[in-house]
Amino acid sequence: MISLTIDGREIQVPRGTTLLTACRQAGADIPTLCYDPDLRLAGSCRMCVVEVKGRRNLVAGCVTPAENNMVVETESPDVVESRKIILELLLARHKLTCHTCESDGSCKLQDYCYRYGVTDSRFTGEFHDGPHFSKEDANPFIKRDYDKCIMCTRCVRACEEITGAQAINVMNRGHHAKIATIFDGNLEDSPCVFCGQCIMVCPVGALTSKVAAGKGKSYQTEKVLTTCTYCGTGCTLELNVKDDKVVGVTSVRDENWSPVNRGALCVKGRFGWDFINSSDRLTTPLIRENGELRPASWDEALDFTAAKIKEIKGEHGPDSLAMFSSARVTNEENYLAQKLMRAAIGTNNVDHCARL
Amino acid sequence: MAEELRVLLQYADQINPESADDYVKVGGYKGLEKARSMDRKALIDEVKKSGLRGRGGAGFNAGMKWSFVPQDAPIKYVVCNLDEGEPGTYKDRIICEKNAQALLEGMAICGTAISSKQGYIYCRGEYPFVVELLKNAIKSAKASGALGDFDIEVRMGAGAYVCGEETALIESIEGHRGEPRFKPPFPGVEGLWAAPTVVNNVETFACLPNILANGAEWFAGIGATRYPGTKIVTLTGDIENATYFEVPTNVTLRDVIFTLGGGVKNGKKFKAVQVGGTSGAFIPEQNLDTQIDFDSMGSIGAALGSGAVFVLDETRDIVDVVTRISKFFEHESCGKCNPCREGTFRLREIMEKVNAGRGTTQDMDNLLLLSKVMQKAALCGLGQAAPIPIESTIKHFRYEYLRKI
């Protein structure tokens, strides 16, 4: 263990602890934009800078190891000034449309500007004709509004490290640097799998869900924890519910609540929820009579099916029947399905969609 | 009276820089031979004792840097920084063109000290002819057996200034975007392909053969006590002798400019000198009696840097010059960290406004505020140093700004 003083408070941490972790342990609230505990460190946003006694420059807490006898100030005048100026620099290139932004209320840039009283930027420039980064991307899922991008590169790292798609990276340099697919094309023409992990990690409104757009801001929706039903993996997701309707799906990244996927989802889990309130959705079984489908009760449908199965078995034998099961049901249900075929019907004709 | 002291360039134009045999005839590869006869620790101590400090700009004690390399690591690399991106600097090119074998020998000495078998030379993209020269020099050295089992490969940059920063250079060799890494871990512990790596400048490596051959005391006795040896300076701008000189590190700037350099061109008066490259401070006349060594330059808020000496005569418009410099940094910022990516862009924007006569004193306050935050909070040396020309000229030539406001 090493000991250091943070904002006048002495604490002990194991060797190898970063200053960010140590400061948070000491109760200091350190702002971060590029830091993400699940992603490799970047050390680039410089919001987590703190002052270490004896060091000429401020150091980024997320990438600086705590050292024995360090004396750290987390809100010294230089620290606060640097954070304010960084926020002003980011505001100067940021499309300030908070009132219609999907991330309003869950935006780190907004939160930190509020915290440090940054209402305006002195660096907006004389002509307001700086480069624009907006990107029309005709895909049904992910809205890319890079005029709101703060270049934290969390999306790039999530795409590479969580999903493994490597669909996006930084192109160009300096102030012209922006997030792009290869040759700056659309996501559809890239290795993007539309998992939306980039949306999950984006701290601002640069990447948002097109499916949930306009249906409710974060603070207007109730969050209901549930398990995705699309496949047997069992990913935890969070339904965003407003007026008893599902208006979005977000991630829960806490390992305790989301042990299987830690927030990561696939395109179906994250974007494929609009069927819930769809008028096309089947809500009762249907029985075909004279070429027409009519609604039926579950009892009637099950009786009808059982009678038909018995009839076929009697006429053609048990091997004339087969069960085709689904990855959308649980292991236990799949077990029961094969049991039904083997024990009740008497056939080994059992297969599963996941095998195809 | 200041005079040149040629150590690295002693046999300039007398030997073929590509030929190991030529180099051996004038005493070359004696240093390496000595190094190989020494215990590794004693070798590092010898380099430490010589006081040799990094010639790339940071001025870190070379032997100290080597001592950070963990000896038990199975693979280690020696990397030579020949990115030489500082405008007005061409000393590394001169060393290669006049004495390339000394660079190779220096790298092999470092390889001996840290027990590395592989060196890389990262050459700037604008020097394709130097790449050819070095490849031939390596071939000749290998053929002569002088390098032993130490291999050197030349890698070429693509013109990014930031790749002169050692970790961005490493990223570039690895095939990634030229962006600096955060430190620690320092390259000495985790560098190229995550292996311990010593990155030194061409001039630093080229000093080593003589240090080993003549002894640490000999080197420590040349020039300034705390930054001993010679330094190659490259003179550009409004100067009569716009060329290079190798000088002991205790000469003064005034001697470099007025004695060796022959003074300001066309008999005009001196206005300012920028030392150490584009990110260096502008120095006014009253500070010219400063020695060029690292610490003396630091004491006047300047930096020796790469040894570029850029002289401006009385007719030059400082604000205009600094505006151009701010454009350079906007172009060369890699875009990784917020203070530099946005800061260099805004500095250029404000400088252009001031230069065009539309500025206010508020703009000057904003320049200074932004300069301060960039120096304090930027990730690498580029962002930290980019505002120095602005800050130093507002300090020393404030009237030139005020004249335009």
Side-chain angles (χ1 to χ4, degrees), chain A residues 9 13-14 32 51 74 82 84 92 108 111 113 144 151 158 167 174 197 230 238 241 244 250 267 271 275 309 351:
Chain A
R9 202 179 140 195
V13 292
T32 60
E51 190 165 330
T74 68
S82 292
K84 280 183 170 179
K108 282 198 163 197
D111 290 349
C113 284
R144 307 162 74 193
M151 290 300 292
Q197 254 68 270
Y230 268 110
E238 194 176 56
V241 180
D244 286 334
T250 43
V267 60
F271 300 111
F275 70 88
I309 287 174
D351 217 329

Side-chain angles (χ1 to χ4, degrees), chain B residues 16 19 21 39 42 45 53 59-60 75 78 115 130 155 157 163 194 220 229 233 262 267 278 308 341 348 396 401:
Chain B
N16 173 3
S19 163
D21 294 339
D39 171 65
D45 284 345
R53 289 168 69 180
F60 197 80
I75 298 173
V78 176
S115 58
V130 175
R155 293 289 181 106
C163 287
V233 291
T278 300
R341 183 187 61 245
R348 192 269 302 155
H396 295 300
Y401 283 82

Side-chain angles (χ1 to χ4, degrees), chain B residues 111 137 328:
Chain B
F328 173 80

Side-chain angles (χ1 to χ4, degrees), chain B residues 24 79 84 199 320:
Chain B
V24 168
V79 172
E84 193 152 73
V199 185
D320 191 55

Side-chain angles (χ1 to χ4, degrees), chain A residues 220-224 239-248:
Chain A
Q220 295 170 323
T221 60
E222 189 193 340
K223 308 292 185 292
V224 180
L239 296 175
N240 294 192
V241 180
K242 191 181 168 197
D243 302 330
D244 286 334
K245 285 201 169 120
V246 174
V247 294

Side-chain angles (χ1 to χ4, degrees), chain A residues 44-46 56-58 78 81 85 90 93 122-123 125-127 150-151 170 172-175, chain B residues 160 177 331-334 336-338 341-342 345-346 349 353 358 366 369 372 375-377 379:
Chain A
S44 63
C45 77
R46 316 306 281 178
R56 188 165 53 98
N57 293 335
L58 302 174
D78 276 355
E81 182 177 71
I85 294 301
L90 290 175
R93 64 176 273 170
R122 71 195 88 191
F123 302 111
E126 203 181 358
F127 305 109
I150 56 166
M151 290 300 292
V170 180
N172 298 334
R173 298 192 307 168
H175 189 78
Chain B
R177 268 175 76 83
H331 182 70
E332 295 296 350
S333 168
C334 77
K336 182 170 177 172
C337 81
N338 284 328
R341 183 187 61 245
E342 306 302 328
F345 176 75
R346 298 301 171 185
E349 215 172 45
K353 186 180 164 193
R358 293 191 305 273
N366 290 348
L369 181 59
K372 183 184 167 197
Q375 287 176 61
K376 286 248 168 218
L379 171 64

Side-chain angles (χ1 to χ4, degrees), chain A residues 5-249:
Chain A
T5 310
I6 296 171
D7 294 337
R9 202 179 140 195
E10 194 167 309
I11 65 154
Q12 262 95 38
V13 292
R15 192 170 288 282
T17 306
T18 64
L19 270 185
L20 177 66
T21 305
C23 289
R24 286 181 172 170
Q25 197 179 312
D29 183 9
I30 309 287
T32 60
L33 289 171
C34 70
Y35 174 74
D36 188 308
D38 292 337
L39 303 174
R40 96 183 114 81
L41 296 167
S44 63
C45 77
R46 316 306 281 178
M47 276 302 287
C48 69
V49 287
V50 294
E51 190 165 330
V52 177
K53 203 174 167 188
R55 299 267 178 107
R56 188 165 53 98
N57 293 335
L58 302 174
V59 301
C62 68
V63 293
T64 306
E67 285 170 24
N68 215 11
N69 300 324
M70 259 184 177
V71 179
V72 182
E73 290 282 333
T74 68
E75 295 278 334
S76 72
D78 276 355
V79 168
V80 171
E81 182 177 71
S82 292
R83 289 180 188 162
K84 280 183 170 179
I85 294 301
I86 290 168
L87 288 170
E88 283 193 35
L89 288 169
L90 290 175
L91 268 197
R93 64 176 273 170
H94 194 82
K95 186 160 84 185
L96 282 170
T97 50
C98 301
H99 50 304
T100 53
C101 182
E102 293 298 324
S103 298
D104 174 34
S106 57
C107 168
K108 282 198 163 197
L109 183 61
Q110 206 178 41
D111 290 349
Y112 295 147
C113 284
Y114 179 78
R115 171 170 161 185
Y116 288 105
V118 176
T119 50
D120 207 354
S121 174
R122 71 195 88 191
F123 302 111
T124 45
E126 203 181 358
F127 305 109
H128 299 279
D129 64 347
H132 287 282
F133 306 94
S134 55
K135 174 86 198 161
E136 283 301 318
D137 195 319
N139 74 75
F141 306 117
I142 300 172
K143 184 170 164 61
R144 307 162 74 193
D145 188 351
Y146 292 136
D147 279 343
K148 293 178 184 168
C149 179
I150 56 166
M151 290 300 292
C152 67
T153 70
R154 278 162 74 165
C155 54
V156 173
R157 287 174 281 150
C159 187
E160 179 179 338
E161 294 165 38
I162 300 178
T163 305
Q166 296 184 303
I168 47 173
N169 211 326
V170 180
M171 80 176 278
N172 298 334
R173 298 192 307 168
H175 189 78
H176 302 275
K178 61 176 183 177
I179 309 297
T181 67
I182 189 164
F183 303 124
D184 200 14
N186 287 341
L187 290 175
E188 200 175 38
D189 305 316
S190 78
C192 174
V193 292
F194 294 100
C195 63
Q197 254 68 270
C198 52
I199 296 176
M200 171 179 85
V201 297
C202 182
V204 293
L207 295 166
T208 51
S209 163
K210 284 186 183 174
V211 186
K215 296 192 170 77
K217 293 184 180 184
S218 161
Y219 54 83
Q220 295 170 323
T221 60
E222 189 193 340
K223 308 292 185 292
V224 180
L225 213 60
T226 188
T227 304
C228 180
T229 59
Y230 268 110
C231 78
T233 303
C235 294
T236 304
L237 51 75
E238 194 176 56
L239 296 175
N240 294 192
V241 180
K242 191 181 168 197
D243 302 330
D244 286 334
K245 285 201 169 120
V246 174
V247 294
V249 161

